[in-house]
Amino acid sequence: VYTESQEGYLNRIDKVTGELKGIQPAAPTNAKAYRWNWDTPFLFSPHDPATIYLGGNFLFKSTDRGHSWKVISPDLTTGVDRDSLELMGVKLKDVKLARNDGVQDYGSLFTIAESRRKAGLIYTGSDDGQLNVTRDGGATWSNLTARIPGAPKWAYVSRVEPSKLDDGTVYATFDAHRTGDYGTYVYLSPDYGASWKSIAGNLPRGEVARTITEDLKNPEVLYLGTETGLWVTLDRGRTWTRVRANLPTVPLYEITLHPRDNAMLLATHGRGVWVLDELSPFQEAVKAQAAEAWLHPMPPVYQRARSGLKYYGSQGDMQFFGDNPRFGAVMTYSLKTRADSARITIVDAAGNPVRELKGSPMKDGLAAGLNTVVWDQRIEPIPAPKGAPPPTGGFFFGGGGDSTGTPGPLVLPGEFRVTLVVNGKPAATAPLTIRGDPDLKITDQDRQRRFELLKEGQRLQARLAEAGNAVRTANQQLNQMKTALSDSTAVPAPIRAVYDSLVKDLAPLRKKFFIREEDEPFDFSEFRKVITFKLGNLLGSVGGATLPPTETDLAQWAELRTEVPQTIDEVNGYLARLKPFYLRLAEEGIYPPLPKPVEKP
């Protein structure tokens, strides 16, 4: 890891041994000292991780991680004597209060960039407005400053950025606010800096430009960080739009785009780091705006294992972790106009249905413009049993990410196809790849075995949910009859005997499904015997882990394979006794009680 404090104090740290070594180059004893900016720029070469660049008033290069350095440029600044300059009509040599305000040197590099496409194509920008380029690794240099129309004198070159997609294209921004100039200076060159044009477009004056970068895939899309926030252009600088969302109004000093994840990382002057997880809505915005509906490409999704470590929260108030990205596959789509209905269907590589997202997960996804929905990577859940009590343990009746009820198991890694259906008609489709967590030590065979067990468990849960609903309904009905049958003189003894027998025989079934009366005390030892708890707890153990099922898991599974069908047989046998009893009550007119005839007046 390389770290730097002000004025070029660069350190290299070995994270394994903890060794720290200062690696800032120093001028020879008889030479003038090098000048360093407070925010000295340093850079890893995109072509060699052992090669780093460091900018003073010269550009320094090391090919051995800072063990040795070579000067590869002339002085890339004006070299002006700062005391000869004026600020607000006062010579700087005459300033007595906060002289130079802690900035030790003037005339130093502030930005360095090497082309990702061509090794040795390097641009530099200084705090006194000088922009230089070398196309041969520092053997020869060209000063580009005079070629930039309207570039402010003595301004910081706040950023120089070679294109990621074209060899000759380069962007530059200038910050002149220290001279009282709050203009917005953003430029593009298509020919290695030989000519430049302003791409400030419709940016309002006062949006002091701090940094700029080009999109990873679409050269028309540029991202600009200013003193107040983030801006994006979809047409290479003709028009700009402020990006707000939940990003505060704050100076943005760095925009880094992650090529693997297609993500944006922002560094703010408030020492904040913000991440935008997916850039495709910007990259395809023009196409999306032209279509009635557009499903944006989805990057490969990993089934990341969640850490079981819980001790982080007890390490004091200085311990901080950012939020994890949402688990699952984030699907982003654009609608030209508000939709009446929308849903997402997902099928596997063979075309078999896997999941449908509709209703509640889609209720906020009908607006014109960008919408997102998250698939939790699970197959269809089991709906929560009607009238079921709140979750009391295990996995049963637990929330299923984007659905209520019992979540299905995670799908196996593979290829899927996602379709956006708008107002009942398929509107767009796109592929989706789900990959297993590469850090997990689990074979495909074990993963498949675990998935099949969880699917079997889900089927068992579905049948138990139906059985539990039936027992709950029977219990409610028998309780409602209690008042009607309370008058023993009006109820034949045989009917009363059958009723009492049904109530008695329902008690063990109620226990199996944890159906309690309001005045019944809670008994955890009894709760552990509840069949839905036992199955749910086992599914939680197998489904909540990323390892193969243990021998204990498999033994419990074998027991439940027998116990669940037996329980369903018991429920069905009990339900078979209810129908003739209900018919007899109706024939006797006891329940439901018949209205009495109305006498004539």
Side-chain angles (χ1 to χ4, degrees):
V1 173
Y2 296 82
T3 68
E4 184 196 78
S5 61
Q6 61 269 24
E7 292 157 349
Y9 287 99
L10 186 63
N11 295 283
R12 186 185 67 234
I13 302 172
D14 187 319
K15 286 188 67 179
V16 176
T17 65
E19 294 169 293
L20 182 147
K21 176 64 178 175
I23 57 173
Q24 182 185 28
T29 302
N30 297 326
K32 286 186 178 180
Y34 300 138
R35 298 190 300 273
W36 307 101
N37 196 277
W38 181 277
D39 294 318
T40 301
F42 74 98
L43 174 74
F44 299 104
S45 170
H47 308 285
D48 176 18
T51 296
I52 55 178
Y53 299 97
L54 182 68
N57 50 320
F58 303 95
L59 183 63
F60 301 87
K61 178 181 179 180
S62 172
T63 57
D64 52 15
R65 297 182 170 87
H67 181 72
S68 62
W69 293 93
K70 181 182 179 181
V71 177
I72 63 168
S73 77
D75 191 322
L76 297 174
T77 73
T78 62
V80 67
D81 179 2
R82 177 168 43 180
D83 284 347
S84 68
L85 302 178
E86 287 188 359
L87 181 64
M88 300 175 68
V90 179
K91 288 280 187 182
L92 291 181
K93 68 177 181 177
D94 296 329
V95 173
K96 306 300 181 185
L97 182 65
R99 179 173 173 77
N100 299 327
D101 204 22
V103 180
Q104 179 176 318
D105 298 322
Y106 181 71
S108 60
L109 296 184
F110 187 70
T111 180
I112 311 166
E114 182 179 21
S115 168
R116 297 166 179 80
R117 298 173 58 85
K118 297 186 68 174
L121 174 57
I122 305 169
Y123 296 88
T124 68
S126 69
D127 61 2
D128 56 1
Q130 302 302 295
L131 187 59
N132 287 274
V133 64
T134 178
R135 298 173 65 177
D136 51 17
T140 57
W141 287 84
S142 299
N143 190 308
L144 309 176
T145 311
R147 303 177 184 182
I148 306 173
K153 193 175 182 181
W154 308 120
Y156 273 54
V157 183
S158 54
R159 185 72 176 187
V160 58
E161 179 74 1
S163 170
K164 304 175 181 69
L165 304 170
D166 178 72
D167 291 350
T169 299
V170 61
Y171 307 90
T173 58
F174 291 80
D175 169 12
H177 85 272
R178 295 169 184 82
T179 66
D181 181 352
Y182 288 85
T184 305
Y185 300 101
V186 188
Y187 294 93
L188 176 152
S189 169
D191 48 17
Y192 300 96
S195 63
W196 295 81
K197 68 175 181 178
S198 172
I199 55 170
N202 63 328
L203 288 166
R205 181 174 173 80
E207 289 295 335
V208 176
R210 289 292 195 170
T211 186
I212 190 171
T213 194
E214 181 185 67
D215 186 70
L216 295 165
K217 301 178 181 180
N218 187 342
E220 294 295 305
V221 177
L222 307 174
Y223 307 102
L224 179 71
T226 72
E227 194 67 16
T228 64
L230 177 66
W231 295 75
V232 63
T233 175
L234 306 178
D235 52 18
R236 225 174 198 186
R238 288 189 293 273
T239 56
W240 293 86
T241 301
R242 176 77 179 271
V243 180
R244 296 184 184 274
N246 60 340
L247 184 68
T249 298
V250 65
L252 292 184
Y253 282 10
E254 187 77 22
I255 303 173
T256 296
L257 306 184
H258 199 303
R260 184 195 66 202
D261 295 342
N262 200 33
M264 176 189 289
L265 293 85
L266 304 177
T268 80
H269 189 52
R271 297 187 180 181
V273 177
W274 289 68
V275 179
L276 182 64
D277 293 317
E278 175 57 36
L279 294 175
S280 63
F282 290 128
Q283 294 160 342
E284 299 205 336
V286 172
K287 295 178 182 177
Q289 290 167 359
E292 291 297 323
W294 187 270
L295 183 60
H296 292 274
M298 290 161 283
V301 177
Y302 288 87
Q303 288 185 349
R304 291 290 184 192
R306 303 188 186 194
S307 174
L309 301 176
K310 303 293 185 183
Y311 59 81
Y312 290 119
S314 61
Q315 293 184 345
D317 64 349
M318 295 301 290
Q319 190 74 36
F320 174 78
F321 292 91
D323 293 333
N324 286 324
R326 289 177 290 186
F327 182 83
V330 179
M331 303 168 182
T332 304
Y333 57 94
S334 298
L335 300 176
K336 180 172 285 189
T337 58
R338 181 175 178 81
D340 295 326
S341 67
R343 55 188 169 92
I344 296 267
T345 62
I346 303 157
V347 299
D348 63 18
N352 300 311
V354 174
R355 189 67 180 274
E356 184 175 58
L357 305 177
K358 59 183 180 179
S360 179
M362 303 292 290
K363 65 181 176 63
D364 296 324
L366 305 177
L370 281 174
N371 297 275
T372 61
V373 63
V374 182
W375 172 37
D376 58 6
Q377 300 183 45
R378 297 180 181 275
I379 66 174
E380 289 289 348
I382 300 172
K386 297 177 181 179
T392 49
F395 223 51
F396 197 69
F397 304 160
D402 55 22
S403 297
T404 58
T406 305
L410 292 170
V411 297
L412 289 171
E415 302 298 324
F416 299 85
R417 193 143 202 87
V418 178
T419 300
L420 171 67
V421 181
V422 180
N423 297 334
K425 298 180 180 179
T429 186
L432 171 64
T433 299
I434 294 181
R435 296 172 179 167
D437 190 326
D439 295 331
L440 300 184
K441 309 304 181 187
I442 183 171
T443 65
D444 290 342
Q445 183 179 5
D446 281 338
R447 201 190 297 271
Q448 178 75 38
R449 184 185 187 191
R450 177 172 162 271
F451 178 69
E452 294 300 334
L453 281 176
L454 291 171
K455 282 212 306 184
E456 180 188 2
Q458 191 188 35
R459 290 193 293 269
L460 295 179
Q461 280 192 316
R463 300 288 78 78
L464 280 179
E466 294 178 17
N469 279 340
V471 173
R472 192 170 289 105
T473 299
N475 185 59
Q476 291 170 350
Q477 292 172 343
L478 291 176
N479 282 339
Q480 291 168 355
M481 293 178 192
K482 189 182 297 184
T483 301
L485 304 181
S486 60
D487 185 357
S488 60
T489 60
V491 179
I495 292 180
R496 181 72 194 199
V498 173
Y499 173 81
D500 291 341
S501 174
L502 287 171
V503 170
K504 179 182 177 182
D505 294 344
L506 186 62
L509 290 177
R510 285 175 43 228
K511 282 187 177 182
K512 281 198 172 187
F513 290 95
F514 199 61
I515 299 170
R516 300 158 55 234
E517 303 299 340
E518 291 183 3
D519 56 349
E520 286 186 71
F522 178 82
D523 186 339
F524 190 73
S525 62
E526 290 296 321
F527 179 66
R528 291 174 63 90
K529 300 175 185 176
V530 172
I531 190 168
T532 52
F533 173 79
K534 290 195 292 185
L535 179 56
N537 207 42
L538 179 57
L539 287 176
S541 174
V542 176
T546 50
L547 296 168
T550 66
E551 291 299 322
T552 301
D553 292 333
L554 295 175
Q556 291 179 333
W557 213 284
E559 293 174 0
L560 284 165
R561 280 195 182 106
T562 301
E563 187 178 351
V564 171
Q566 286 178 348
T567 299
I568 292 174
D569 286 342
E570 291 175 25
V571 171
N572 287 336
Y574 182 84
L575 297 178
R577 295 167 56 194
L578 287 180
K579 183 175 181 179
F581 177 64
Y582 287 178
L583 290 174
R584 187 172 179 188
L585 288 177
E587 290 169 356
E588 297 284 345
I590 298 173
Y591 189 84
L594 297 175
K596 294 180 180 180
V598 179
E599 296 182 1
K600 293 182 179 180

